[in-house]
Amino acid sequence: GSAVLFLVHSAPGKMVENSLLPGRAIYDFVLLLSSQSGFILYLVWAFIPESWLNSLGLTYWPQKHWTVALPLHLLITIVIGYVLLFRINMMSTPSLNSICTITDNYAKNQQPKKYQEVAIPALRVISTSEVNQMLFLAAKDLYTKN
Amino acid sequence: MEDERSFSDICGGRLALQRRYYSPSCREFCLRCPRLSLRSLTAVTCTVWLAAYGLFTLCENSMILSAAIFITLLGLLGYLHFVKIDQETLLIIDSLGIQMTSSYASGKESTTFIEMGKVKDIVINEAIYMQKVIYYLCILLKDPVEPHGIAQVVPVFQSAKPRLDCLIEVYRSCQEILAHQKATSTSP
């Protein structure tokens, strides 16, 4: 509900905004109701003793052990997820002596394009040797100042 | 003819580049890394010994203290012999090849030689290293199957890791020699 109001305030000039459609408001309200009732149900499961729930007739609950275990598992999963993601990124970066840093299949298989006088030259991958010569041999003072 | 200048590496430490021009077709580049500093050595030793003393007060076993001393000594010797590189040298001889030497702090030297027939080019490449993008000099080797292909990439000055200004100096000198070599090899 509050998210919808914020979007409406931030762009008053737009004609038809996604948040102004009635469909969105209904989804938002359903989500609000379900998340609040889910939270109240979780609190009931965690705090009210077994005997009172059994006397009401509701006997088929999971063990109370899980009221503490599930949030803890979730928290640890999130923390490990951060570490794992970082580690996977580090491992999938090519090392300094891999050929991926110089060329790849696209660059090897590209067709030589015809040079046209007036038009802008077509996009293509220039080899590392040429780039190095242009950057470091030709322009003598460009990089030595730092 | 000898020439020495000081540069810095990617972490900010000081490096000394020594260039020797033996002849127009033979040059040597020598990069000296800073020596093992007393400050870092005492810091590591104090940390290990304090941790061992903490364990000793918990366990009341005096073997932990002597084990800590052994570990520190062996660790220092292993680090000096296998990890800490003091000096890296690149020797280019026009018609012969390229030789790379790493000398460790304990005196050990390891040498790699690449013959000139295999060398395609020496370039400065950029790549992602840990959380940075660094420039590094590398030797591209020819592919025996394909005339314009690259078989292997051999990075140079791996442990010194100088910055771009130092790499440009080495690159220009190497390109002079490679151009000289191409000119003499294509002429009949």
Side-chain angles (χ1 to χ4, degrees):
Chain A
S2 57
V4 172
L5 288 172
F6 174 76
L7 281 169
V8 169
H9 275 291
S10 65
K14 284 203 180 168
M15 287 300 291
V16 175
E17 227 184 52
N18 273 340
S19 55
L20 285 177
L21 295 172
R24 267 300 167 104
I26 293 175
Y27 291 148
D28 208 26
F29 191 57
V30 164
L31 197 62
L32 180 75
L33 275 186
S34 56
S35 65
Q36 281 189 346
S37 57
F39 185 55
I40 292 174
L41 191 66
Y42 173 75
L43 287 181
V44 160
W45 173 38
F47 286 113
I48 298 185
E50 285 271 343
S51 48
W52 294 13
L53 289 174
N54 283 344
S55 70
L56 279 176
L58 308 161
T59 53
Y60 196 64
W61 294 95
Q63 272 193 344
K64 286 212 187 261
H65 157 75
W66 291 107
T67 61
V68 179
L70 277 179
L72 204 61
H73 282 316
L74 195 65
L75 194 65
I76 302 285
T77 309
I78 292 174
V79 170
I80 289 186
Y82 272 111
V83 175
L84 207 66
L85 199 65
F86 186 69
R87 187 70 192 135
I88 288 177
N89 267 331
M90 295 273 275
M91 278 167 55
S92 59
T93 337
S95 63
L96 290 187
N97 63 351
S98 100
I99 197 91
C100 306
T101 54
I102 301 275
T103 182
D104 66 349
N105 280 333
Y106 176 78
K108 283 185 205 160
N109 295 338
Q110 61 180 351
Q111 311 295 331
K113 304 211 175 83
K114 219 168 54 138
Y115 175 69
Q116 289 168 336
E117 267 305 319
V118 187
I120 301 172
L123 199 66
R124 76 181 182 96
V125 179
I126 308 180
S127 74
T128 326
S129 309
E130 279 183 57
V131 175
N132 267 277
Q133 276 164 4
M134 278 185 244
L135 283 178
F136 304 123
L137 285 182
K140 282 209 176 293
D141 289 323
L142 203 57
Y143 283 93
T144 51
K145 289 267 162 64
N146 47 325
Chain B
M1 186 178 93
E2 231 175 84
D3 182 47
E4 179 152 349
R5 283 181 62 180
S6 82
F7 291 96
S8 66
D9 67 3
I10 56 173
C11 302
R14 300 221 60 81
L15 293 175
L17 175 72
Q18 201 177 26
R19 289 183 293 192
R20 296 197 191 108
Y21 289 0
Y22 293 120
S23 85
S25 56
C26 175
R27 284 180 199 170
E28 188 175 24
F29 305 96
C30 191
L31 259 183
R32 270 204 307 274
C33 310
R35 293 183 165 272
L36 182 66
S37 71
L38 194 60
R39 188 186 301 179
S40 59
L41 182 63
T42 42
V44 172
T45 313
C46 286
T47 330
V48 173
W49 286 0
L50 279 175
Y53 189 71
L55 274 179
F56 169 69
T57 49
L58 282 176
C59 304
E60 301 294 332
N61 188 4
S62 65
M63 282 298 289
I64 293 181
L65 296 176
S66 29
I69 295 177
F70 270 126
I71 287 174
T72 319
L73 277 176
L74 287 177
L76 180 66
L77 287 177
Y79 176 70
L80 291 180
H81 192 69
F82 293 112
V83 177
K84 177 91 182 77
I85 292 183
D86 251 354
Q87 185 174 313
E88 280 183 307
T89 311
L90 182 73
L91 173 67
I92 301 189
I93 302 178
D94 187 356
S95 47
L96 202 60
I98 302 178
Q99 173 173 291
M100 296 167 292
T101 313
S102 309
S103 357
Y104 292 82
S106 65
K108 175 174 102 163
E109 280 191 10
S110 91
T111 313
T112 316
F113 179 76
I114 304 174
E115 58 173 341
M116 208 39 123
K118 284 193 197 158
V119 170
K120 185 165 191 281
D121 202 1
I122 297 182
V123 295
I124 296 180
N125 194 21
E126 309 158 6
I128 300 177
Y129 174 75
M130 300 287 261
Q131 78 282 17
K132 301 189 230 220
V133 175
I134 60 166
Y135 291 99
Y136 64 105
L137 195 70
C138 55
I139 304 175
L140 305 177
L141 300 185
K142 283 184 192 162
D143 196 357
V145 175
E146 231 194 86
H148 290 295
I150 296 169
Q152 205 185 337
V153 173
V154 180
V156 169
F157 298 140
Q158 280 272 66
S159 66
K161 291 201 171 60
R163 284 192 177 166
L164 190 60
D165 42 4
C166 177
L167 291 177
I168 291 181
E169 295 290 331
V170 181
Y171 174 75
R172 289 212 181 116
S173 298
C174 293
Q175 284 295 321
E176 281 173 24
I177 293 193
L178 286 180
H180 185 252
Q181 188 250 338
K182 284 196 181 74
T184 50
S185 71
T186 50
S187 63

